[in-house]
Amino acid sequence: MSQVEMTAREQAIQADFAKRMDETELLNCMQCGFCLPHCPTYLETGYQEAHSPRGRIALMKAVHDGLIAPDEEVKRSLDLCLGCRACEPVCPAGVNYGHMLEEARDIFEDHSIHSAGVKTVRKTVFEGLFPHQNRMEKAMSLVGFYQRSGLQHITRKIGFMKLFPESMQAMERAMPNVLPQKERKAHKRVYEAEQAPVATVAFFKGCLMDTMFYETNKNTIMLLQKAGCRIVVPDSQGCCGALHGHSGEKAKAQEMARKNIDAFEDSGADFIISNAGGCGAFLQDYSHLLSKDRDYAERAADFTAKMKDISQILVEVGFHERVPLKLASQRITYQDSCHLRNVMKTASAPRQLLQAIEGVELIEMEKADSCCGSAGIYNIIESEMSMQILDRKMEHTKATEATTVVTANPGCLLQMKLGIEREGLQQKMEAVHIVDLLAEAVQ
Ligand code: SF4
Ligand code: SF4
């Protein structure tokens, strides 16, 4: 029985916390506080414990034990978390914070009462759009049409975009030009290596990557071919489900994970490759997501074991040692994708690749390992905090005097483009995906 007064809804949430949250994980946190200086929201809120990893775990534990009500303050604390998981690698107790956060958000979502408008938006995004690649393609074609038809020019001229929040206005300006659908050709099922193959890899093409960043996907295949990989692109693959998993839509994320496991199982590939840090980390977490699924747990573990980021595989097969890479003399800096670094544990491979490009001087920015504030749709729903974090990131970026900011995730890429736009640095600085920079450097 609850030890504190709660509404019926809060009691139901509390009961789910008691049933579903992993108590061992909650108890693993020894409240040492090593994670605090690495948490962007703790720092940006002026050291508020409720907005730190330690504070959030304490709140989850207190709700689990029925000591506090899962009220709006608890929800606010969880909502403001970026899910960047910067708290995990520095934790001496190895606390799996990200898993707890996803479960807690899913519980809150199960009991949420959304307005009709929010319900419609969530249904459209989570059920109507992302799980269907053909609809994603149509949606992106509309964006492309908006950009090319002159509509974008008109809306900007008449100030229509001023009706939207400032962050969305800047995002609209920073968005890359989307290729017309006829130029975004369907991928072949198999691409042969340029030499005797050293590995067969299955390519996870992603939903946003294969529409808005189609050129990056084409370049990824080209780099893999040059690296001596035979590439299989399974047809029936779909969105990774990260957006769903991070937004309290666990059942939908599991459904998408099962679909991808089915799609990649018969590829015969040694590795599964992603070129988007956020997707790659979520794909690598399938073993956790489906750990209680009798039919899929083992298959999910096999899938997870094969996951690699494009940078990792390129370094492993010695691409940068065999293929000459050269660019016009320039200073670059690298912004880590949180999930690539903190979940996939990939930080040195992209740097090794960048250092192998002749003409490039790689300058580390201060706190390159700290979140840029993109975090899926966080920059839209928590715009104020996101922009605060981005502005801090841009201070560090500018201090490097780099002309190119390299990223390895579409969300980070858009966010850094937005940062450049907000600072009015478009003439001096550009943000690029590491794959596109390497493709340009291939001799
Ligand atoms: S570092 Fe780990 S154990 Fe220490 S407070 Fe943070 S989450 Fe808890
Ligand atoms: S995931 Fe990021 S924002 Fe959330 S508690 Fe951990 S470090 Fe802080």
Side-chain angles (χ1 to χ4, degrees):
M1 206 171 83
S2 301
Q3 296 160 21
V4 288
E5 239 176 75
M6 295 186 207
T7 63
R9 180 175 161 265
E10 286 170 348
Q11 279 179 22
I13 297 175
Q14 194 281 320
D16 270 0
F17 262 71
K19 193 165 64 189
R20 288 173 46 186
M21 294 299 290
D22 187 332
E23 194 175 8
T24 317
E25 282 286 10
L26 288 168
L27 283 168
N28 270 347
C29 174
M30 51 195 181
Q31 301 285 304
C32 65
F34 278 22
C35 52
L36 300 187
H38 300 271
C39 174
T41 55
Y42 176 68
L43 301 178
E44 292 297 335
T45 55
Y47 314 115
Q48 283 188 40
E49 185 71 19
H51 297 310
S52 76
R54 181 173 68 181
R56 291 183 177 115
I57 294 169
L59 288 173
M60 288 188 250
K61 174 84 172 64
V63 171
H64 171 276
D65 295 346
L67 298 176
I68 60 168
D71 57 13
E72 277 312 301
E73 254 177 76
V74 176
K75 186 166 183 306
R76 183 73 201 121
S77 165
L78 299 181
D79 283 350
L80 204 64
C81 174
L82 293 147
C84 66
R85 295 170 76 165
C87 40
E88 288 185 18
V90 293
C91 174
V95 169
N96 284 312
Y97 172 84
H99 293 165
M100 292 194 280
L101 176 74
E102 276 168 23
E103 197 65 45
R105 281 187 171 164
D106 195 53
I107 296 171
F108 267 105
E109 191 49 42
D110 281 353
H111 297 276
S112 61
I113 309 151
H114 292 306
S115 66
V118 172
K119 255 193 220 157
T120 310
V121 171
R122 285 188 75 96
K123 208 170 155 56
T124 308
V125 171
F126 294 131
E127 289 177 39
L129 191 58
F130 276 83
H132 307 280
Q133 190 59 16
N134 55 343
R135 293 185 198 165
M136 279 294 285
E137 280 175 18
K138 282 188 185 130
M140 281 306 135
S141 295
L142 280 178
V143 172
F145 174 76
Y146 165 77
Q147 290 171 332
R148 289 185 303 274
S149 64
L151 255 177
Q152 186 175 46
H153 180 71
I154 295 167
T155 50
R156 284 179 187 176
K157 204 163 175 196
I158 60 173
F160 176 72
M161 285 310 293
K162 291 204 175 83
L163 297 173
F164 294 91
E166 204 263 319
S167 64
M168 282 186 78
Q169 293 174 40
M171 188 61 92
E172 188 267 350
R173 292 195 299 269
M175 211 152 49
N177 290 332
V178 178
L179 285 177
Q181 198 163 7
K182 60 178 186 307
E183 288 177 39
R184 286 185 268 129
K185 294 194 181 80
H187 297 287
K188 292 198 290 189
R189 174 155 166 89
V190 175
Y191 293 84
E192 295 301 338
E194 278 195 6
Q195 60 193 59
V198 290
T200 295
V201 301
F203 179 44
F204 178 79
K205 58 187 175 153
C207 45
L208 205 57
M209 288 305 298
D210 213 41
T211 46
M212 192 182 278
F213 299 101
Y214 178 80
E215 280 292 319
T216 309
N217 271 5
K218 245 174 68 181
N219 286 336
T220 302
I221 291 170
M222 182 272 282
L223 294 180
L224 286 168
Q225 284 180 297
K226 287 205 177 297
C229 296
R230 178 174 180 269
I231 306 128
V232 182
V233 189
D235 263 350
S236 50
Q237 61 176 297
C239 165
C240 66
L243 198 62
H244 304 74
H246 298 154
S247 308
E249 298 281 346
K250 189 174 166 186
K252 195 80 203 160
Q254 286 172 324
E255 194 185 301
M256 290 153 95
R258 289 186 201 101
K259 186 178 170 202
N260 279 324
I261 291 169
D262 290 345
F264 280 82
E265 221 159 32
D266 298 326
S267 65
D270 308 302
F271 304 107
I272 300 167
I273 305 298
S274 144
N275 59 10
C279 306
F282 199 74
L283 294 162
Q284 192 166 294
D285 245 0
Y286 276 1
S287 54
H288 171 75
L289 189 68
L290 296 173
S291 59
K292 295 195 179 104
D293 186 316
R294 230 185 22 199
D295 298 329
Y296 277 85
E298 213 174 299
R299 296 160 68 188
D302 288 345
F303 185 98
T304 288
K306 288 186 176 175
M307 267 316 296
K308 276 192 194 296
D309 181 69
I310 176 77
S311 300
Q312 282 176 293
I313 189 84
L314 290 180
V315 168
E316 273 179 36
V317 301
F319 163 83
H320 58 313
E321 289 154 354
R322 276 186 287 112
V323 179
L325 300 166
K326 191 175 177 186
L327 283 174
S329 175
Q330 60 190 287
R331 178 177 279 202
I332 65 171
T333 192
Y334 179 70
Q335 163 59 27
D336 284 284
S337 145
C338 295
H339 284 191
L340 185 58
R341 186 182 181 107
N342 302 327
V343 184
M344 294 190 88
K345 311 278 187 259
T346 303
S348 76
R351 289 172 167 85
Q352 275 174 264
L353 292 169
L354 294 173
Q355 275 160 340
I357 306 175
E358 195 188 324
V360 153
E361 183 193 7
L362 174 65
I363 303 283
E364 283 293 337
M365 72 169 88
E366 201 186 318
K367 288 184 166 276
D369 58 346
S370 179
C371 185
C372 61
S374 167
I377 50 170
Y378 187 95
N379 57 0
I380 297 168
I381 53 180
E382 294 291 348
S383 173
E384 200 183 326
M385 176 59 80
S386 169
M387 292 307 113
Q388 209 173 309
I389 291 170
L390 177 59
D391 291 346
R392 180 99 46 211
K393 177 62 62 185
M394 287 311 294
E395 279 172 29
H396 299 317
T397 309
K398 280 189 294 184
T400 63
E401 295 183 2
T403 51
T404 311
V405 191
V406 182
T407 70
N409 184 49
C412 312
L413 180 59
L414 284 175
Q415 181 85 342
M416 293 311 292
K417 281 179 183 284
L418 196 152
I420 292 169
E421 178 84 35
R422 276 166 73 84
E423 296 282 337
L425 290 172
Q426 304 91 312
Q427 306 307 321
K428 293 188 184 153
M429 192 186 272
E430 62 167 349
V432 296
H433 192 291
I434 186 167
V435 160
D436 296 328
L437 195 77
L438 287 169
E440 200 190 324
V442 165
Q443 295 295 291

